[in-house]
């Protein structure tokens, strides 16, 4: 390595090197798509975590000879493997559902450009479509209406948040819709205090915020004295307003990524009570999808058991006996039927699998209502870990 | 891209490509070290987030022409940039503190091989030393003793956890030590249910667990009927015992990474109540370090104000006036002095900076005790975000 220390020259070299990296990433992606194609022929599962671990251990060893530390190598290759797995899944899904392969999709979501739902929609379709027609909505009900009426192809709905819990309104709406859940995505939520002009925290007199981010940032807001809170219907509205006002005493709570669409910048980052905050979104469509056998799948079921004592336990025992893992159980009251509950159950199983088909048949007699809301690929790719003795 | 679908051949190609990737990562790291060297001469800050953002936007555009989606490109280059920043920081720190540059370090931590403290110690020193001499301790007090007596160079102590909060015992011990805080690291905590033999959840009758993971997994444990909990002094002890017993009815709560040292594997992953769980650790040594000016620094201060009303507010106002951001404020009772409190304050500032020196001078008259616990580089590298319009 030459010892020339001209910053511009070194940066030029890094730029060229980064282009080589991108070319290799693209080539690697094409190769792993060929791996997926070979797995179609042999019906082998997409992931082989033991092979992934061996791969990581080899890369760590080789990296050490080049002066790279094990944690860096692990972290960067976990990202590369995640991309590879998600792409292979998307490819197999497009084979299993040839009619969902379209270059342009239309999506309804809550809020406007820059909302968390907007960001989740873009991220979900980034590897699935070339163009997204956006439809920002004022309510969850509007989103479902637009999909049901055929105005848009998909609806993106937040279903739970790691800090504020399940979003009951969406659960309740799912009871009364004929739409199917066809996908999921988890979006990190990072609330920042955004301003349109250069200012400092002690100058801020008014903060615009939507109710949910307001609640999630209560500790930070409690510490600010003499600040007035203006409630807004949506974060995007609030951001647009603050962008327009160009006032150094006014700020808004929102994501940095979303705020950049309004030329806002972050005065304070990570102001939420819980620094780790994620929302899980579901994607709904008029037509259910098939999930390819090689892909881990989740199935969402709703059922009610009337007032039969112990009926829910019977249902859960059936799942347990079939070796089916339940990853979520929520209950919600049924409107107009006091003391009755609707149960929302997510299981890690493919609807097409013999085990789940059998389970649903055996569960049915214990219920007075049962419906499958949808079966879709699990989007979360848990990273393969490496024994710490390799570090 | 050829359409040959022989899995072994494709994998061979991927292996070769991954070696090219590693070589480029190593070359990039060497180039960014040259960037750091040029910044020593010019005293420019290590990070230039505007430049990073421009870099990411260019890479996203270029990646799109190669069929790579924006989120993947962003995510993998954020990891590469983080590595580059941490390495440049480590390099500048080694220049500022020539005597800490040694190939072998000895570290005292809580528990045995495989504990979270063990994992944090290895991660911290992975880019700073070639060899680590481990000293597993039974208590936080023992760790401090070993460092104070010169038996080891460093002590690694957990100071707070995102789910269970501050670790008061460590805060209290810091009051009475002459050691300095010289570094920090945040370690993800992911509790799993680990077993030594192949088994299934419904066969498990006994779970070994340390008190802290037990509390953090209470929701999962409540759902398991007929399971007996055996409390253990440390997670590592519990893992060693379960590994020895080779019993398909016995499991232990611990990290997958740590468990692999005992040939344990995860029967269930992510069983904690809060799925996002991190512990922040501090590193203590007998001698304080200097933090290079180009690096963002944190300074930890403890002070007590006696029973003077409003004195703490006066101290905090001084920090505010100097434009110094306070990132943490904790108070702990002082033993033997009822109604008096010791305040632990972390500020984002270099101890050598004029602003902080002035602030400490102005704060002193309001206190009856004030001490700097240490000044150290901020280890958390917040990723540079990209406007969502680029996605």
């Amino acid at each position: 390595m030459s010892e020339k220390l001209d910053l511009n020259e070194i940066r030029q070299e890094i730029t060229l090197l980064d282009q080589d990296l991108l070319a290799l990433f693209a080539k690697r992606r094409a190769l792993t798509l060929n791996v997926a194609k070979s797995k179609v022929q042999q019906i082998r599962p997409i992931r082989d975590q033991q092979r992934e671990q061996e791969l990581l251990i080899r890369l760590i060893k080789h990296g050490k000879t080049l002066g790279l530390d094990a944690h860096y190598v692990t972290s960067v290759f976990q990202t590369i493997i995640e991309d590879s797995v998600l792409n292979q899944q998307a490819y197999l899904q497009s084979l299993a559902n040839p009619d969902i392969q379209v270059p342009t999709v239309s999506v309804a979501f809550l809020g406007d450009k820059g909302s968390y739902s907007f960001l989740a929609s873009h991220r979900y379709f980034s590897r699935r479509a070339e163009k997204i027609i956006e439809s920002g909505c004022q309510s969850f009900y509007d989103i479902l209406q637009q999909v049901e009426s055929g105005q848009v192809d998909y609806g993106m709905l937040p279903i739970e948040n790691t800090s504020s819990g399940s979003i009951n309104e969406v659960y309740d709406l799912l009871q009364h819709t004929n739409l199917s859940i066809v996908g999921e995505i988890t979006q990190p939520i990072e609330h920042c205090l955004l301003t349109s002009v250069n200012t400092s925290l002690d100058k801020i007199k008014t903060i615009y915020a939507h109710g949910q981010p307001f609640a999630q940032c209560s500790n930070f807001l409690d510490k600010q004295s003499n600040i007035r809170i203006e409630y807004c219907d949506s974060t995007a509205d609030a951001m647009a307003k603050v962008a327009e006002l160009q006032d150094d005493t006014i700020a808004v709570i929102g994501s940095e990524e979303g705020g950049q669409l309004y030329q806002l910048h972050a005065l304070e980052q990570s102001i939420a009570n819980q620094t780790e905050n994620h929302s899980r979104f579901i994607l709904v469509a008029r037509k259910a999808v098939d999930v390819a056998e090689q892909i881990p799948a989740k199935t969402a079921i709703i059922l009610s058991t009337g007032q039969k004592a112990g009926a829910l336990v019977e249902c859960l025992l059936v799942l347990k006996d079939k070796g089916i893992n339940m990853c979520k159980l929520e209950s919600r009251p049924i409107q107009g039927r006091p003391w009755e509950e609707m149960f929302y159950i997510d299981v890690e199983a493919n609807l097409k699998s013999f085990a789940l088909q059998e389970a649903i048949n055996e569960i049915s007699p214990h219920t007075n209502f049962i419906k499958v809301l949808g079966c879709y690929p699990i989007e979360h790719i848990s990273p393969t870990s490496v024994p710490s003795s390799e570090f």
Side-chain angles (χ1 to χ4, degrees), chain A:
Chain A
M1 187 55 50
S2 69
E3 278 288 340
K4 59 183 168 198
L5 296 181
D6 179 76
L7 195 52
N8 288 329
E9 271 181 55
I10 309 170
R11 284 187 168 161
Q12 189 59 36
E13 275 194 65
I14 293 176
T15 301
L16 291 173
L17 187 149
D18 284 347
Q19 286 172 11
D20 291 346
L21 279 177
L22 281 177
L24 283 180
F25 291 147
K27 195 173 162 200
R28 197 185 195 284
R29 190 182 260 205
L31 285 172
T32 55
L33 214 57
N34 280 348
V35 171
K37 286 176 188 166
S38 87
K39 284 178 182 169
V40 177
Q41 297 163 342
Q42 302 165 34
I43 314 200
R44 288 166 65 161
I46 278 295
R47 290 198 84 178
D48 175 349
Q49 289 199 276
Q50 182 164 359
R51 209 194 145 264
E52 282 178 17
Q53 193 183 69
E54 287 159 12
L55 178 84
L56 285 172
I57 292 173
R58 269 205 315 275
L59 288 166
I60 288 171
K61 288 216 171 90
H62 187 77
K64 274 185 186 164
T65 66
L66 299 167
L68 297 170
D69 67 74
H71 288 96
Y72 173 47
V73 172
T74 307
S75 156
V76 75
F77 274 96
Q78 279 172 342
T79 307
I80 292 171
I81 291 171
E82 183 194 36
D83 174 68
S84 153
V85 173
L86 286 174
N87 266 300
Q88 295 187 38
Q89 290 196 1
Y91 169 74
L92 291 175
Q93 272 308 87
S94 71
L95 288 190
N97 304 276
D99 53 327
I100 61 168
Q101 264 297 73
V102 288
T104 303
V105 294
S106 49
V107 190
F109 53 83
L110 193 71
D112 216 325
K113 261 187 199 303
S115 70
Y116 290 110
S117 298
F118 164 92
L119 298 174
S121 304
H122 273 268
R123 200 151 64 86
Y124 183 86
F125 283 106
S126 66
R127 66 182 84 240
R128 292 178 176 91
E130 285 159 28
K131 192 167 179 296
I132 300 172
I133 299 168
E134 299 158 6
S135 176
C137 294
Q138 291 307 308
S139 70
F140 296 135
Y141 181 79
D142 287 352
I143 295 173
L144 292 177
Q145 282 283 308
Q146 289 204 357
V147 187
E148 280 167 359
S149 67
Q151 218 175 315
V152 298
D153 303 321
Y154 296 102
M156 184 64 81
L157 298 163
I159 189 86
E160 58 183 315
N161 175 275
T162 49
S163 107
S164 50
S166 291
I167 295 158
N168 293 332
E169 195 187 337
V170 173
Y171 272 103
D172 291 345
L173 285 168
L174 285 175
Q175 258 186 55
H176 305 290
T177 179
N178 287 317
L179 300 177
S180 290
I181 304 176
V182 297
E184 66 169 355
I185 190 162
T186 302
Q187 172 75 10
I189 305 289
E190 201 198 336
H191 296 314
C192 299
L193 195 67
L194 306 168
T195 57
S196 54
V197 287
N198 236 336
T199 181
S200 63
L201 185 55
D202 51 344
K203 286 198 192 133
I204 302 298
K205 292 208 174 69
T206 311
I207 295 178
Y208 287 73
H210 179 249
Q212 188 123 25
F214 170 74
Q216 291 170 3
C217 300
S218 58
N219 293 354
F220 172 83
L221 293 170
D222 286 348
K223 276 196 279 179
Q224 315 309 321
S225 44
N226 303 321
I227 281 186
R228 198 168 54 93
I229 308 291
E230 282 280 343
Y231 290 93
C232 295
D233 284 344
S234 87
T235 295
D237 282 356
M239 293 196 293
K241 196 174 285 178
V242 171
E244 200 191 300
L245 293 171
Q246 292 285 318
D247 185 326
D248 69 353
T249 69
I250 294 178
V252 52
I253 300 179
S255 72
E256 188 171 13
E257 211 179 336
Q260 282 167 335
L261 289 174
Y262 299 87
Q263 276 77 50
L264 303 177
H265 34 253
L267 184 63
E268 297 275 327
Q269 285 174 317
S270 303
I271 60 169
N273 304 354
Q274 291 208 341
T275 49
E276 290 290 343
N277 191 354
H278 297 263
S279 284
R280 190 175 149 250
F281 290 80
I282 52 170
L283 190 75
V284 294
R286 286 182 298 286
K287 192 165 166 277
V289 292
D290 269 352
V291 179
E293 279 173 80
Q294 300 92 330
I295 301 179
K298 215 185 255 185
T299 299
I301 299 167
I302 53 174
L303 57 88
S304 74
T305 57
Q307 284 164 297
K308 280 177 274 180
L312 180 68
V313 179
E314 292 297 331
C315 298
L316 301 185
L317 278 175
V318 171
L319 291 174
K320 191 182 171 197
D321 286 345
K322 305 281 174 205
I324 295 172
N325 187 38
M326 180 174 73
C327 44
K328 178 133 183 114
L329 172 63
E330 276 283 326
S331 80
R332 293 287 306 149
I334 304 176
Q335 259 197 331
R337 300 217 224 133
W339 319 118
E340 284 192 40
E341 291 279 318
M342 187 66 82
F343 297 101
Y344 295 75
I345 298 173
D346 284 349
V347 293
E348 282 174 14
N350 197 315
L351 185 57
K352 292 189 295 187
S353 72
F354 184 65
L356 184 53
Q357 286 292 343
E358 263 200 334
I360 292 175
N361 287 340
E362 290 180 30
I363 284 172
S364 288
H366 299 293
T367 67
N368 53 20
F369 173 79
I370 181 164
K371 187 172 109 172
V372 173
L373 288 177
C375 174
Y376 52 93
I378 295 179
E379 188 79 7
H380 177 70
I381 307 300
S382 63
T384 294
S385 70
V386 173
S388 51
S389 51
E390 301 294 334
F391 286 163

